[in-house]
């Protein structure tokens, strides 16, 4: 399946923290660059996300804000 | 100003494409890793975004999806 | 690629309206049920979206609001 | 109240799972087509969402991604 | 129609700027407090949004970020 | 840090409700006008959000819906 989201960053899952409805997943997309995602717990289980697994962080471009110093 | 968004990636603006209401901004956050953002044209002008300028891509964790092969 | 988004609705593209930065895509997911999506023009071109093509509408559960009469 | 969101799908609540802050609500919008929504627990209570109740799934078009096989 | 979004701020439309696909709408929700919204052009036309008209800004709580100085 | 989000409303934190992964934060941006935000628990802790603290509600314009009566 190919998706419209402009941003697909390949990485490795480095942390998975399950909550009651949501689960927090941290993906390292480059050395020292981590992205934190909050998805539903059932999605995290369906994708079998676990430390060390390869995964992609997927971001729609309208959800990316820009900041400057 | 410090923001609640979990993900703040420092990088450099490599492309700015203005439209009628929105502008598309591409930020390189690591060698070969680019993030595309669509923000309003007036925000892009207010931040004076231009090629070569340092900038951050800011992402709320609930907006980050996860995919696996 | 399998994605964390809880909602993936298969359908058929029934309309594509390109703008300057964004393109509006309408997908019929069931008889009489259409979903309108706004994605970047370049994503619409990359996926070669056109009338009659099979496609999925993909929705993160936190982006789905609920209303009652 | 009429809302700007382009997508309003009428259906029936088929599952409600309350968590600590958020509640997961599943709405069947056509036979076999379900949409999962995560809203705050207090909103789910305010709307008195419960199995069997008629409800709408409401989606802003910029939040709808498109995928193809 | 009552909606799950936690935040519904009543105000008055003070500016409408149509683009090719999207329209930018500014709503004054309190003296000196304006909210800018980008919705599809067709939604803006369907709601007949125009300067001086009463309108609500509607915000899902997961889309509200928090910042501190 | 200056951010692209068009809407930045200064206010005061009036309630903080921590959950397992997320925390709900209420900010009063004008007398009688409150905005509810759901952010990750760790972000709420990092920003040291607590009742009485000054804070900003930050909203991307594409996340603001419009409604009329």
């Amino acid at each position: 399946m190919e998706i419209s989201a402009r941003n697909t960053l390949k990485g490795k899952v480095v942390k998975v923290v399950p909550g009651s409805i949501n689960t927090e997943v941290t993906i390292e997309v480059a050395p020292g660059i981590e992205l934190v995602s909050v998805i539903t717990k059932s999605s995290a289980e369906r994708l079998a996300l676990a430390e060390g697994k390869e995964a992609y962080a997927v971001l729609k471009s309208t959800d990316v804000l820009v900041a400057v110093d």
Side-chain angles (χ1 to χ4, degrees), chain A residues 7-49:
Chain A
N7 303 296
T8 303
L9 284 68
K10 195 174 190 169
K12 187 174 285 195
V13 176
V14 292
K15 201 160 76 169
V16 177
V17 182
S20 50
I21 294 289
N22 291 316
T23 289
E24 190 178 297
V25 180
T26 306
I27 299 175
E28 187 180 53
V29 295
I33 302 187
E34 296 182 352
L35 282 176
V36 178
S37 163
V38 172
I39 58 178
T40 59
K41 196 176 182 174
S42 91
S43 290
E45 291 170 355
R46 178 169 46 84
L47 299 186
L49 296 176

